[in-house]
């Protein structure tokens, strides 16, 4: 099956993306230019990514003592992606961009994620450069961001440390001023960094001329002590190779060294590294310490980094979505062609009759419909959220503020729902293949392994849950949640004629979520309220996806094509099989159930 008809429907029939052409920023675009971008990305993904998905899984990156070695296919894919212009697709014409709506950029990148998420297509590089375009100086934009957009340089984000994991307040990487003239450097206030960073994707390779690390570190106080908590964190540009003010390599290596490659369950085609900063392996000007240039103000590093982190979370959600979609297409094809079993009639099964294809069995249809509901629903949510990004950047001040708040509430869902439920879709794809699905002769086991990472990186499930219940639904006196509820109510109102039971179910789910939110915080004790944050996240996510499916169903009108029938069935499936689950999840939230929180560790 081809992804393109689904993308075209969601962009044009549902989101009406052509309406963005009325915005001054997108005035040069049309359906034709949007389609040309999608055509190009679909072709590159088909030719340079999909044929090598298994290759990069089996030929893992390895270090030969000097360089990290990747298959030639990865080099070819990176080059093709960079030359397509997608690294700077949404940027201004003046910096080599296309001024493409982010909605179209996100849809175009979906083809790469489905073809081979493990090869990667520059999510961290574009996110790194986008952060610098907002928080960097003019020279930092020219020297670092512009070269990342062209593909000459690539980028990373260096947050986690071996001893700290996701607890960024506990990072110990130190940044000390580099000389008496440290503030006079044209590239930014110059510091020397010393510390270790773990789980750094694309932290070492030879795909690009240089690697630009964005590193979180703490500047010691006057007594040489690190400021506790996240308020002491600053952000630094640390290039792998030193550059001058024109972006040219000076020939000197920065003091950033590969300490080891992490060998992963999935995503094996992307290097994942432990990096040592400032250990003295590559001294700069005769001194140990990695040279880094301050981004923004001291102590505001996490605020700057959230620009990249939120973008990466949406990217992770899209990656998880497309892995779910890839498994769905693979298992659908298998189910249509695999004969096994016979139908049960009044007298039981007649062994003399020919076998039927497994897609004719009701339980196989159930598993296929679940995959479709999870994956296509998640894709619709991701593109809806991308459309909010365009609204935030180009809408009226009032509409932009609404989009901002909606994104605040939806981002944890865009990341978490696909990473849990599209992983479940991959599990169902294996189940449909039966014993063959558990072998490496079919791709579905790799899709599952690749997808298992997505519940962990860019903020674990638990972190997303605490962010949602502990911050996002409460911020600005709950206005974001209120705005989302208003949109859900509007969808339910439109659905009254043809989808009355589903409209009522959505209203009831919304009411349950609202009540659970209030009851969780009724005691005003964060530990009690957040003890069951993950069930809250699951219920909230299911309510959001139910709303998305109902909105999609509303857009179908009188269309009775097979594709429309499938979308209506996915909507019905989600409301009848999935949405009822939220009652159990929200019950423990509302009661602030302490079964898990209060159990002493020696009872396990």
């Amino acid at each position: 099956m081809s992804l393109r008809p689904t993308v075209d429907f969601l962009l044009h029939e549902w989101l009406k993306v052509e309406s963005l052409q009325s915005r001054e920023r997108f005035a040069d675009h049309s359906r034709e230019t949007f389609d040309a971008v999608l055509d190009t990305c679909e072709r590159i993904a088909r030719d340079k990514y999909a044929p090598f998905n298994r290759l990069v899984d089996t030929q893992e990156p390895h270090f030969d003592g000097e360089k990290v070695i990747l298959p030639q296919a990865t080099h070819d894919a990176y080059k093709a992606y960079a030359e397509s212009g997608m690294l700077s697709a949404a940027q201004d014409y003046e910096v080599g961009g296309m001024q493409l709506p982010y909605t179209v950029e996100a849809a175009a990148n979906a083809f790469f994620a489905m073809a081979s998420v493990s090869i990667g297509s520059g999510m961290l590089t574009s996110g790194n450069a986008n952060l610098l375009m907002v928080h960097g100086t003019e020279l930092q934009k020219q020297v670092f961001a512009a070269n990342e957009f062209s593909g000459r340089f690539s980028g990373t984000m260096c947050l986690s440390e071996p001893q700290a994991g996701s607890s960024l307040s506990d990072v110990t990487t130190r940044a000390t001023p580099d000389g008496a003239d440290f503030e006079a450097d044209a590239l930014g206030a110059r510091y020397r960094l010393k510390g270790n960073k773990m789980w750094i994707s694309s932290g070492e390779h030879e795909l690009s001329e240089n690697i630009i690390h964005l590193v979180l570190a703490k500047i010691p106080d006057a007594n040489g002590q690190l400021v506790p908590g996240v308020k002491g964190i600053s952000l630094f540009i640390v290039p792998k190779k030193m550059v001058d003010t024109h972006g040219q390599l000076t020939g000197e290596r920065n003091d950033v060294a590969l300490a080891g490659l992490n060998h992963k369950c999935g995503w094996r085609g992307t290097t994942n590294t432990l990096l040592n900063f400032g250990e003295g392996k590559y001294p700069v000007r005769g001194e140990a310490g990695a040279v880094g240039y301050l981004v923004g103000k001291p102590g505001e590093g996490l605020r700057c980094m959230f620009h990249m982190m939120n973008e990466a979370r949406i990217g992770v959600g899209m990656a998880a979505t497309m892995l779910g979609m890839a498994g769905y297409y693979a298992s659908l094809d298998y189910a249509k062609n695999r004969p096994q079993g016979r139908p049960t009639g009044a007298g039981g099964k007649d062994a003399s009759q020919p076998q039927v294809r497994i897609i004719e069995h009701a339980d196989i249809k159930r598993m296929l419909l679940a995959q479709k509901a999870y994956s296509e629903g998640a894709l619709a949510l991701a593109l809806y959220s991308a459309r909010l990004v365009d609204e935030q950047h180009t809408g009226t001040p009032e509409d932009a503020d609404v989009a901002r708040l909606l994104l605040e509430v939806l981002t944890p869902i865009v990341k978490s729902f696909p990473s849990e439920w599209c992983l479940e879709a991959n599990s169902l794809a294996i189940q449909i293949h039966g014993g063959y699905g558990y072998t490496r002769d079919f791709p579905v086991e790799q899709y599952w392994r690749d997808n298992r990472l997505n519940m962990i990186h860019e903020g674990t499930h638990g972190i997303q849950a605490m962010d949602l219940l502990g911050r996002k639904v409460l911020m600005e006196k709950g206005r974001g949640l209120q705005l989302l509820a208003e949109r859900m109510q509007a969808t339910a109102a439109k659905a009254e004629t043809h989808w009355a039971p589903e409209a009522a179910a959505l209203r009831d789910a919304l009411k349950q979520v609202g009540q659970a939110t209030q009851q969780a915080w009724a005691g005003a004790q964060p530990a009690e309220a957040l003890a069951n944050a993950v069930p809250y996240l699951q219920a909230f996510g299911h309510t959001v996806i139910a709303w998305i499916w109902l909105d999609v169903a509303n857009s179908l009108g009188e269309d009775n094509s097979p594709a429309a029938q499938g979308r209506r069935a996915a909507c019905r499936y989600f409301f009848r099989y999935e949405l009822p689950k939220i009652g159990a999840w929200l019950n423990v939230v509302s009661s602030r159930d302490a079964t898990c929180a209060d159990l002493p560790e020696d009872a396990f």
Side-chain angles (χ1 to χ4, degrees), residues 546-579:
W547 160 58
I548 289 290
W549 267 118
L550 190 56
D551 204 66
V552 167
N554 280 341
S555 73
L556 295 171
E558 301 301 318
D559 184 0
N560 201 37
S561 65
Q565 292 178 39
R567 292 188 176 101
R568 290 191 184 94
C571 181
R572 286 193 294 271
Y573 169 87
F574 202 87
F575 273 87
R576 296 174 187 180
Y577 287 73
E578 296 292 332
L579 191 58

Side-chain angles (χ1 to χ4, degrees), residues 92-172:
D92 296 346
Y93 294 134
E94 288 74 14
V95 296
M98 305 183 207
Q99 291 190 191
L100 199 68
Y102 180 63
T103 314
V104 178
E105 178 187 357
N109 278 322
F111 293 106
F112 299 103
M114 193 171 88
S116 181
V117 74
S118 187
I119 290 178
S121 54
M123 176 183 78
L124 291 176
T125 296
S126 59
N128 180 310
N130 289 340
L131 181 153
L132 293 176
M133 293 301 291
V134 174
H135 298 289
T137 66
E138 286 305 313
L139 194 58
Q140 287 173 346
K141 295 175 188 178
Q142 294 170 24
V143 171
F144 300 111
N147 282 304
E148 290 181 276
F149 285 138
S150 73
R152 181 174 165 237
F153 296 171
S154 56
T156 73
M157 56 190 299
C158 299
L159 290 77
S160 298
E161 297 181 2
Q163 83 291 342
S166 299
S167 181
L168 296 181
S169 63
D170 294 315
V171 301
T172 58

Side-chain angles (χ1 to χ4, degrees), residues 335-352:
K336 286 180 176 180
N337 291 284
R338 166 71 174 178
Q340 185 172 318
R342 292 167 178 83
T344 301
K349 294 182 180 180
D350 185 350
S352 67

Side-chain angles (χ1 to χ4, degrees), residues 21-49:
Q21 297 163 217
S22 63
R23 308 281 171 89
E24 181 181 354
R25 180 170 183 80
F26 309 126
D28 293 340
H29 288 292
S30 63
R31 172 72 184 262
E32 288 70 27
T33 63
F34 294 160
D35 284 349
V37 170
L38 297 177
D39 290 343
T40 298
C41 292
E42 187 177 21
R43 174 180 54 78
I44 295 172
R46 182 182 63 244
D47 296 345
K48 300 294 186 181
Y49 285 72

Side-chain angles (χ1 to χ4, degrees), residues 406 479-491 510:
L406 287 171
R479 183 165 169 255
L481 182 57
Q482 179 184 351
L483 289 169
L484 183 61
E486 289 172 0
R487 296 207 171 189
M488 291 184 178
Q489 294 285 10
T491 295
L510 183 58

Side-chain angles (χ1 to χ4, degrees), residues 72-292:
Q72 183 60 41
T74 304
H75 290 263
D76 295 341
Y78 178 85
K79 180 181 178 183
Y81 186 81
E83 290 178 349
S84 75
M86 286 303 294
L87 286 167
S88 59
Q91 292 298 316
D92 296 346
Y93 294 134
E94 288 74 14
V95 296
M98 305 183 207
Q99 291 190 191
L100 199 68
Y102 180 63
T103 314
V104 178
E105 178 187 357
N109 278 322
F111 293 106
F112 299 103
M114 193 171 88
S116 181
V117 74
S118 187
I119 290 178
S121 54
M123 176 183 78
L124 291 176
T125 296
S126 59
N128 180 310
N130 289 340
L131 181 153
L132 293 176
M133 293 301 291
V134 174
H135 298 289
T137 66
E138 286 305 313
L139 194 58
Q140 287 173 346
K141 295 175 188 178
Q142 294 170 24
V143 171
F144 300 111
N147 282 304
E148 290 181 276
F149 285 138
S150 73
R152 181 174 165 237
F153 296 171
S154 56
T156 73
M157 56 190 299
C158 299
L159 290 77
S160 298
E161 297 181 2
Q163 83 291 342
S166 299
S167 181
L168 296 181
S169 63
D170 294 315
V171 301
T172 58
T173 298
R174 302 167 69 93
T176 56
D178 182 30
D181 64 342
F182 78 100
E183 292 182 304
D185 198 301
L187 291 175
R190 190 181 63 249
Y191 288 75
R192 292 280 184 152
L193 277 69
K194 295 185 178 181
N196 314 100
K197 294 293 181 178
M198 182 58 133
W199 313 118
I200 309 307
S201 294
S202 301
E204 180 60 45
H205 55 74
E206 300 295 322
L207 297 172
S208 57
E209 191 175 327
N210 203 356
I211 302 174
I212 309 305
H213 303 290
L214 284 179
V215 184
L216 292 181
K218 291 185 176 182
I219 302 171
D221 62 19
N223 298 316
Q225 301 300 309
L226 298 183
V227 178
V230 297
K231 292 182 179 180
I233 296 175
S234 300
L235 179 64
F236 301 88
I237 299 167
V238 183
K240 171 185 173 180
K241 299 175 183 178
M242 302 301 294
V243 301
D244 62 22
T245 54
H246 300 288
Q248 299 304 309
L249 302 188
T250 67
E252 189 171 24
R253 175 78 183 259
N254 204 355
D255 197 7
V256 183
L258 176 69
L261 295 173
N262 297 309
H263 300 286
K264 300 167 292 176
C265 171
W267 282 68
R268 293 176 177 173
T270 302
T271 56
N272 190 274
T273 62
L274 169 60
L275 297 178
N276 292 341
F277 291 82
E279 66 173 2
K281 184 173 183 179
Y282 303 104
V284 182
R285 296 190 298 275
E287 292 182 40
V291 173

